[in-house]
Amino acid sequence: MPSVMIRRNESGQMTLYVAKKDLEETVVAIEHEQADKWGGEFTLADGSAYYIEPLSAAPNLPITLRARRAGGE
């Protein structure tokens, strides 16, 4: 499972960066984005998806977390 960094870019959009692949893409959807549950499957603008174990609250960004590929790829 690679580590990924989630942050907001200059435009305020959430991005996900995978250092191992030198990939940075805009997050277009998050499975859980409620006050008491944040994470799950992150869908990126290029169509790829990563899964981050849900947290009990939305974190302060930027944050580095462990993720795995999702979406049956």
Side-chain angles (χ1 to χ4, degrees):
M1 284 199 293
S3 290
V4 298
M5 182 174 66
I6 300 170
R7 67 179 187 96
R8 295 221 180 260
N9 64 18
E10 302 79 32
S11 304
Q13 298 172 308
M14 190 178 296
T15 63
L16 186 143
Y17 176 70
V18 183
K20 191 173 185 178
K21 294 187 170 210
D22 195 25
L23 166 75
E24 183 169 21
E25 281 291 335
T26 303
V27 176
V28 295
I30 302 174
E31 183 177 7
H32 303 288
E33 200 170 9
Q34 298 86 17
D36 63 340
K37 190 173 188 182
W38 187 90
E41 189 169 311
F42 285 68
T43 305
L44 307 181
D46 69 355
S48 63
Y50 286 84
Y51 181 83
I52 295 173
E53 198 63 41
L55 304 175
S56 60
N60 292 326
L61 300 179
I63 189 169
T64 300
L65 299 166
R66 303 285 287 171
R68 68 175 189 261
R69 293 291 302 241
E73 297 177 24

